[in-house]
């Protein structure tokens, strides 16, 4: 994904910065940090890579396919570098953290590799490369201060929604996951800094924030203050005027009753939860080191739906994990049929460096994994489409984010349940929360009409608890 929402025309006195992001929302947030840090040094975001003086590639290594995209993109930059010798190419993010100097050795046209814990130093490091004409890899560790935050993140002007990182790292060490190795152990930002950032975003016109963390349920570690994730949510709901709050990602084993209650008690908390299940077999979940059983997961889903019937639930599933039998896979299919997720992100297992699962010998062959993934995705597609069709005739509160991507003159926004809705409305409705009557469903979006012209829902704030 390219992040240049504030792209400007490059002038003779400005330097062009092209940012390309592969992977998760955490990476998108880090790319925005790079845009801000280098803007202070005179760099202007550009959409055309040919205008760039610096190319920053933010990488992801959570799955093998994402890492393959990194190598492919870097390979394509070789000819650009040959035509523009002054161009500086920087690789950051998880692959950079994972490979470090090895990435420089493989791509001799790459100028700099900067790890996930050294982003704050990108300006100084770039200057060093430019002045020396050399190349460098900087993969800071936690002991060297790479875990420290760089202060407040200001999102591009005109945005209605914005991500806010509240913590990084993970202590769970799931057998398949590389995150603890490239993002480090869990560490949280101070609550006061998070609240101040949200207030600044609100003042700039942002209506909805997405709180980011590898496991937001564990928020509070390392802050020196007695504050939990539930405490943080309630403070955002009462101490800021932000209209909507979302968060991702939650770990099922850490999902508490107190957090579930927030969906029923906080008007500003969107009625959507992403809760990765990964598999429907207890045997596979144990091998994954997930820390919960299928029955425990389902019980939490039941409680969520009892206290908040309108909540939408999405999840992640990995098929073809080492040792997964056909019986294990059918247990996952049974889980999907029982839970009826609103949507699902599903992938074939791929070995990731340093993880425990990479050393398992009983790998599932690619053909079998691909067949299972195709069967699972087809089954889920029918469930998702049924959920969308059932929306017809309902009236939903939609935050207008801007023009529809279909470029048909319509506006587009999301319901509290995170479903995209397109409708006819003036461009001045951007940033408003409108009451929309759903007319019919497409495969990945809904069509609707404004139920009450220029109506905006007023979010009632709950008192402090």
């Amino acid at each position: 994904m390219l992040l240049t929402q504030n792209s400007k025309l490059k002038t003779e006195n400005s330097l062009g910065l092209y940012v390309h992001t592969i992977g998760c929302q955490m990476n998108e947030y880090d790319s925005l940090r790079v845009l801000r840090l280098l803007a202070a040094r005179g760099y202007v975001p550009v959409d055309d890579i040919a205008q760039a003086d610096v190319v920053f590639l933010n990488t992801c290594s959570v799955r093998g396919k994402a890492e393959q995209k990194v190598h492919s993109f870097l390979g394509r930059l070789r000819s650009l570098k040959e035509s523009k010798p002054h161009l500086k190419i920087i690789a950051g993010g998880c692959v950079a953290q994972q490979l470090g100097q090895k990435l420089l050795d493989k791509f001799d046209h790459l100028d700099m590799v900067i790890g996930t814990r050294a982003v704050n130093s990108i300006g100084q490091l770039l200057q060093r490369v430019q002045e020396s004409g050399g190349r460098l890899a900087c993969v800071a560790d936690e002991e060297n201060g790479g875990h420290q935050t760089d202060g407040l993140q200001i999102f591009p002007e005109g945005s209605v929604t914005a991500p806010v990182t509240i913590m990084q790292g993970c202590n769970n060490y799931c057998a398949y996951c590389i995150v603890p190795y490239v993002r480090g152990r869990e560490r949280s930002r101070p609550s006061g800094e998070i609240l101040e950032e949200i207030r600044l975003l609100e003042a700039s016109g942002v209506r909805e924030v997405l709180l980011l963390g590898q496991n937001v349920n564990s928020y509070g570690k390392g802050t020196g203050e007695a504050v939990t994730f539930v405490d943080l949510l309630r403070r955002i709901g009462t101490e800021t005027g932000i209209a909507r709050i979302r968060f991702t990602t939650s770990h099922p084993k850490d999902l508490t009753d107190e957090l579930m209650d927030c969906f029923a008690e906080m008007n500003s908390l969107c009625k959507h939860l992403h809760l990765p299940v990964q598999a429907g077999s207890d045997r596979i979940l144990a091998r994954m080191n997930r820390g919960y059983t299928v029955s425990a997961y389902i019980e939490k889903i039941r409680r969520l739906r009892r206290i908040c019937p309108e909540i939408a639930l999405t999840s992640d599933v990995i098929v073809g994990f080492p040792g997964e039998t056909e019986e294990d896979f059918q247990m996952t299919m049974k889980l999907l049929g029982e839970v009826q997720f609103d949507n699902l992100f599903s992938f074939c297992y791929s070995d990731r460096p340093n993880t425990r699962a990479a050393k398992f010998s009983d790998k599932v062959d690619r053909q079998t994994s691909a067949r299972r993934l195709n069967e699972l995705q087809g089954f889920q597609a029918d469930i998702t489409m049924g959920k969308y069709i059932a929306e017809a005739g309902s009236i939903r509160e939609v935050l207008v984010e801007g023009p529809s991507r279909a470029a048909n003159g319509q506006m587009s926004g999301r319901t509290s349940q995170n479903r995209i809705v397109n409708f006819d409305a003036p461009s001045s409705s951007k940033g408003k929360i409108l009451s929309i009557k759903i007319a019919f469903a497409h495969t990945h979006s809904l069509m609707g009409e404004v139920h009450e012209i220029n109506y905006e829902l007023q979010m009632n704030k709950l008192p402090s608890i």
Side-chain angles (χ1 to χ4, degrees), residues 8-246:
K8 302 174 183 177
L9 290 177
K10 182 183 171 186
T11 66
E12 292 183 4
N13 297 322
S14 64
L15 298 167
L17 171 63
Y18 183 93
V19 176
H20 186 79
T21 304
I22 296 172
C24 64
Q25 291 162 317
M26 187 73 76
N27 274 14
E28 293 178 15
Y29 185 87
D30 286 346
S31 290
L32 292 169
R33 292 169 64 198
V34 169
L35 285 169
R36 178 175 62 79
L37 290 165
L38 293 185
R41 292 175 175 262
Y43 287 89
V44 175
V46 294
D47 285 327
D48 184 359
I49 196 170
Q51 294 185 8
D53 298 287
V54 170
V55 172
F56 178 78
L57 172 64
N58 202 351
T59 65
C60 176
S61 61
V62 171
R63 284 176 287 277
K65 187 174 182 180
E67 186 171 340
Q68 292 166 13
K69 290 180 180 179
V70 171
H71 291 265
S72 176
F73 185 82
L74 286 174
R76 295 197 303 270
L77 291 180
R78 184 180 298 277
S79 59
L80 180 64
K81 177 77 168 184
E82 291 172 352
S83 65
K84 298 181 65 174
H86 76 280
L87 177 71
K88 298 303 178 188
I89 302 173
I90 306 171
C94 293
V95 174
Q97 182 73 33
Q98 171 194 331
L99 297 180
Q101 181 65 40
K102 293 179 182 178
L103 207 55
L104 279 184
D105 295 340
K106 180 170 183 177
F107 298 98
D108 57 12
H109 58 289
L110 180 62
D111 297 285
M112 189 165 84
V113 173
I114 183 167
T116 57
R117 306 166 207 172
V119 174
N120 298 352
S121 304
I122 188 170
Q124 302 94 298
L125 294 172
L126 176 57
Q127 183 177 350
R128 188 191 306 175
V129 168
Q130 290 169 327
E131 291 176 350
S132 68
R135 307 163 72 217
L136 66 83
C138 180
V139 184
D141 57 26
E142 294 184 21
E143 288 70 30
N144 289 335
H147 66 287
Q148 296 174 358
T149 62
D150 64 336
L152 306 179
Q153 171 69 43
I154 306 304
F155 203 66
E157 184 180 354
S159 298
V160 172
T161 65
V164 175
T165 291
I166 64 169
M167 64 176 296
Q168 292 208 36
C170 185
N171 295 350
N172 287 312
Y173 288 90
C174 296
Y176 53 83
C177 186
I178 198 174
V179 166
Y181 305 98
V182 294
R183 290 278 181 180
R185 296 184 67 80
E186 291 171 352
R187 54 214 185 273
S188 302
R189 293 177 66 190
S191 61
E193 184 178 289
I194 294 168
L195 289 163
E196 179 61 19
E197 180 173 331
I198 292 174
R199 292 187 190 104
L200 289 171
L201 290 168
E202 180 190 350
S204 71
V206 167
R207 304 299 310 281
E208 175 184 298
V209 292
L210 172 64
L211 308 180
L212 298 176
Q214 270 77 30
N215 182 17
V216 293
N217 311 63
S218 297
Y219 174 81
K221 295 180 181 179
T223 62
E225 51 183 338
V227 56
T228 66
F229 182 53
V230 170
D231 295 332
L232 179 67
L233 282 178
R234 294 196 183 279
R235 287 188 64 187
I236 294 171
T238 57
E239 297 179 30
T240 78
I242 207 73
R244 282 185 169 185
I245 307 167
R246 299 186 189 274

Side-chain angles (χ1 to χ4, degrees), residues 271-299:
K271 306 305 186 263
H272 168 239
L273 177 65
H274 186 69
L275 194 66
V277 65
Q278 304 301 4
S281 160
D282 284 343
R283 188 180 71 86
I284 295 299
L285 288 175
R287 290 200 91 194
M288 289 178 166
N289 192 37
R290 290 293 286 172
Y292 54 85
T293 62
V294 172
S295 60
Y297 182 93
I298 290 176
E299 180 52 40

Side-chain angles (χ1 to χ4, degrees), residues 266-442:
M266 292 182 62
N267 288 340
S268 55
L269 183 60
C270 288
K271 306 305 186 263
H272 168 239
L273 177 65
H274 186 69
L275 194 66
V277 65
Q278 304 301 4
S281 160
D282 284 343
R283 188 180 71 86
I284 295 299
L285 288 175
R287 290 200 91 194
M288 289 178 166
N289 192 37
R290 290 293 286 172
Y292 54 85
T293 62
V294 172
S295 60
Y297 182 93
I298 290 176
E299 180 52 40
K300 292 191 177 189
I301 296 297
R302 287 173 178 163
R303 186 178 190 279
L304 275 164
R305 285 176 167 158
R306 282 197 303 269
I307 65 175
C308 185
E310 68 271 34
I311 196 167
L313 296 166
T314 56
S315 192
D316 294 343
V317 167
I318 297 172
V319 300
F321 186 78
E324 181 187 70
T325 64
E326 193 64 29
E327 182 181 7
D328 292 322
F329 171 68
Q330 291 304 323
M331 289 178 182
T332 299
M333 294 291 285
K334 179 183 177 182
L335 173 72
L336 299 192
E338 182 171 352
V339 174
Q340 296 280 303
F341 290 110
D342 291 77
N343 213 333
L344 193 70
F345 300 89
S346 51
F347 316 91
C348 286
Y349 167 82
S350 60
D351 281 341
R352 308 312 303 131
N354 302 315
T355 61
R356 187 159 27 123
K359 300 174 184 177
F360 292 168
S361 60
D362 49 351
K363 300 293 195 299
V364 178
D365 65 85
R366 292 184 180 181
Q367 184 176 358
T368 299
S369 292
R371 174 185 59 78
R372 290 175 182 172
L373 182 65
N374 186 62
E375 182 180 343
L376 181 143
Q377 290 180 337
F379 184 59
Q380 179 60 45
D382 289 341
I383 295 174
T384 299
M385 194 67 217
K387 297 267 188 177
Y388 272 62
I389 291 173
E391 287 288 296
S394 65
I395 297 173
R396 295 294 186 187
E397 298 145 9
V398 175
L399 173 60
V400 187
E401 297 179 4
S404 169
R405 290 185 177 182
N408 54 8
Q410 293 185 315
M411 298 297 282
S412 181
R414 291 177 188 269
T415 67
S416 179
Q417 290 77 16
N418 206 34
R419 296 190 180 100
I420 297 173
V421 185
N422 297 306
F423 48 90
D424 291 320
S427 58
S428 59
S429 64
K430 180 179 177 179
K432 295 183 182 298
I433 297 177
L434 303 182
S435 179
I436 303 293
K437 184 173 183 178
I438 306 302
F440 59 89
H442 291 304

